[in-house]
Amino acid sequence: MRTGGGRPPRAADMKKDVRILLVGEPRVGKTSLIMSLVSEEFPEEVPPRAEEITIPADVTPERVPTHIVDYSEAEQSDEQLHQEISQANVICIVYAVNNKHSIDKVTSRWIPLINERTDKDSRLPLILVGNKSDLVEYSSMETILPIMNQYTEIETCVECSAKNLKNISELFYYAQKAVLHPTGPLYCPEEKEMKPACIKALTRIFKISDQDNDGTLNDAELNFFQRICFNTPLAPQALEDVKNVVRKHISDGVADSGLTLKGFLFLHTLFIQRGRHETTWTVLRRFGYDDDLDLTPEYLFPLLKIPPDCTTELNHHAYLFLQSTFDKHDLDRDCALSPDELKDLFKVFPYIPWGPDVNNTVCTNERGWITYQGFLSQWTLTTYLDVQRCLEYLGYLGYSILTEQESQASAITVTRDKKIDLQKKQTQRNVFRCNVIGMKNCGKSGVLQALLGRNLMRQKKIREDHKSYYAINTVYVYGQEKYLLLHDISESEFLTEAEIICDVVCLVYDVSNPKSFEYCARIFKQHFMDSRIPCLMIAAKSDLHEVKQEYSISPTDFCRKHKMPPPQAFTCNTADAPSRDIFVKLTTMAMYPHARLRCMCTCNRCTFCICQNFLNSDLLQSVKNKIFTAVLNRLRARVAEWGAMLLADDEGSITHQVHAVRSVEDSIFMESSHGPLFLEARHVTQADLKSSTFWLRASFGATVFAVLGFAMYKALLKQR
C-alpha cells in the first residue's frame, strides 16, 4: 500500500481544469490574496476586483490548468454571482480573522447562498479562508471548527496572510485538491467511516488484485498493486510496516501474511482520516472510476474502429487472460464453473451479465455447469456479436490493469475485409458464422444443440424460456481449431439484410414433412442463388420415414442443379452425442468459400482428404525443397565442369566460350527462386561426375513420379 509519493494521476483520470471562486464580505482581502499569489508580493494598490487569472498546468502541483475568479459585491450583481457559483468547481469563502462579523456571515449568508444554487447530492466543496492572520496573535480555529463539523461540504480551513504571503500557495493547492480529490464521495464525517459506494469500488479493486482468489493480498500481489497504481514497488520492510499498522488496529486485517479485505478497507479509511485521500483517489482512478465513483465510459468503452465487412475476435492475449480468470474461480478444479463459482466471478460486475440461455448456447457438463471450453466460447460469441459489450465486460474484470495494456481494445483483433479473403482465396479468421434457415419445427434447434454434443434426450430437458437462438463451439478443420457460430433464423417470407450476412448457410428441411423443402428452395433462390455465400442442405430427422417433398424436383436434383453438395442426412436421435460431420463440412465451406469441393466429408480417409493432406504436409514440402536444392547443386557442378573444360581451349576462343557460360549462368539465375547462384570454375573428379549423373537421374525420376502422382490425383477427383 502506498506510503509515500507516487506517480501523478494520468491526464485521462483528471479534470480538464479547475475553476476556483473567491467570495466573502467586502474588505476581507479576496483580491489581495489573488494578486499576492500572482506577483508574489503584497500589492500597494488593490483594485476593486481582480481579473480572472489562469495558471498553466505545468506550474501547478496537480498538473491541471487552474482558473481563479474574484467576486466584488460593488461591481457585480446577484445574478452574476449566481452564475459564477454555478460555473465554479470549488468556492473559497474568505473572512478576516480580526473581524467577527465576517466570520458570522460565513454561516448566515454565504454557505446557505451557495447551497441554494447547488444540488443536495452534489454539493460544491468549500474552503474556509481566514485572511489577515498577520494582524492578530491568536487563531480563529476554535470558532471555525464547529462550523466545519456542521457542514460536511467544507473540506478544510486555511489561515493565511496576503501581506506576509503566508499559506497563499497552500490555499490554492487545497482548493485544487478539494476538486481533484474530494472527500465527499469517499467518507462520511458524522459516521466516521467510508461511504457504501466507496466500499463497493474498493472491494472490486481488491477482488481484481487478488489474482489467486484466496481472499488475501500476498506480498507479490501487493507489490503489483503498488506498481500499477503508483509506479513504484514497496520494499519488504515497508510491506511489513503496513501489515503491522493493520494488525495493531484490527485483529482480522492480516491473515496468512496477506492483507484481507477488511485490512485493505481499513488502510484507505486511515488515509482519508489523515487527509491523504489523494492516495485513495489515485487507486480509484487507476481502476477506471470517476468523481461519482462510477466507471467512466472512456474506461469501459475505449475507441475501436471496425471497418465494414470486418469482424471482431479475441486475440491470443485475451484468451490467456480469460484462461487465468477461469482458473482463478474454478476452485474445485473440475474444469467447470458451478453457479456459486460463476456468481463469485461476477462480483466485480454491477450486474449478472449472463442469463440462463447461456447454458444452451455453449458446452456444459452433465450437471449443466459451463465448462472451460464453453466459457471461452461465450466470450468469443460476445466479441463477435457485440464487441462493445465485450469491452465493457473485460473492463469490469480489470483486463487493461492486470495485463498492463492501454485499454481493453488491445484484446480485440479486427479481421480484414472479407472481399480481400475472397480475392486471396484464404482467410485469417477464426470465427465463422452460419445462419441456420428452415421452417418452424424442421429441426433447427436440434442442429444447434447437436453442435454442443447434445442428443434428443438431453434437448427435451431444455425449458422453453431458457432456449437460445445461438450455439457456438470449436470445430477442427485439417488440424486447425476454429469456432463455428450457429444462428437460428426465424421463419419468414423474406430475410432481412442482417439475416443474410454470414459465412455459410445451413438450409434445414424435415425429411418427414413433404412441405418442408419448398421453403429452403425458395429462400435459396431469393437470397443465395447468385451470392458468393456457400450453402449446405441438411436433411434433418433422417431417423424418421422419408417422404417425397412437394417440389418440382427432388432435394438431390436441386443441389446438383445449383452445384451444391448433396443433402446431408442428419439426426440427433442417437444414444450418444450426434455426429459432428456436418459441422466440419460447414466450417470447411466457410473457410474455403471459393473452392467447389467435390468431397465434403473431411474424413481424412477418402482419396480427396488423403491427397489434400499429403499436398499440405510438411514432409512433402521438405522433400520438394531437398530435391530443388540437389538439382541446383548439380547444375552448379556441371557449369563448373564446363568452365574447367574451357581452360583447355585455345586463347582466341576463350572469350566466346565464357560468354556462352555466362548465358547459361544467367538462365539459371532467372529460373532460381532463391536468388543468384555464385558459380566458380573448378576441376571435378571422375567420382564427382558419377555422383552428378546419379543425382540428376534421381531428380528426373522424382519429377516424373510427382507428375504421375498429380495426374492420378486429378483422375480420382474427376471420378468422384
Side-chain angles (χ1 to χ4, degrees), residues 325-383:
T325 301
F326 183 92
D327 293 339
K328 172 180 175 179
H329 295 277
D330 183 20
L331 301 178
D332 54 8
R333 297 293 181 262
D334 63 347
C335 290
L337 294 180
S338 68
D340 289 339
E341 290 171 341
L342 205 58
K343 185 178 179 181
D344 182 57
L345 187 153
F346 290 140
K347 280 183 179 178
V348 296
F349 286 64
Y351 55 87
I352 302 297
W354 295 352
D357 60 316
V358 171
N359 289 23
N360 299 313
T361 305
V362 299
C363 292
T364 60
N365 63 11
E366 297 78 9
R367 305 175 71 175
W369 298 354
I370 296 176
T371 62
Y372 168 72
Q373 186 56 55
F375 182 77
L376 296 184
S377 296
Q378 177 61 25
W379 280 95
T380 303
L381 174 70
T382 305
T383 307

Side-chain angles (χ1 to χ4, degrees), residues 241-314:
D241 292 343
V242 169
K243 294 176 190 175
N244 289 334
V245 170
V246 176
R247 288 190 188 100
K248 183 179 177 181
H249 290 84
I250 54 175
S251 58
D252 53 353
V254 178
D256 300 327
S257 298
L259 194 67
T260 65
L261 176 60
K262 284 188 177 181
F264 185 75
L265 295 176
F266 166 77
L267 276 178
H268 282 283
T269 304
L270 197 62
F271 289 142
I272 296 169
Q273 289 174 342
R274 293 182 178 180
R276 297 287 302 279
H277 37 279
E278 67 271 15
T279 299
T280 301
W281 273 116
T282 301
V283 171
L284 290 166
R285 287 179 175 135
R286 179 66 181 91
F287 280 78
Y289 289 94
D290 61 13
D291 289 350
D292 297 321
L293 297 184
D294 294 321
L295 290 171
T296 65
E298 293 79 13
Y299 171 78
L300 289 178
F301 307 104
L303 181 64
L304 181 67
K305 294 182 179 180
I306 307 171
D309 293 328
C310 298
T311 60
T312 47
E313 301 176 0
L314 293 170

Side-chain angles (χ1 to χ4, degrees), residues 646-662:
L646 287 172
L647 294 176
D649 291 342
D650 60 287
E651 200 171 21
S653 62
I654 285 178
T655 304
H656 178 73
Q657 297 287 349
V658 167
H659 282 303
V661 172
R662 284 178 180 171

Side-chain angles (χ1 to χ4, degrees), residues 50 275 470 510 542 647:
Y470 291 95
D510 180 359
S542 61
L647 294 176

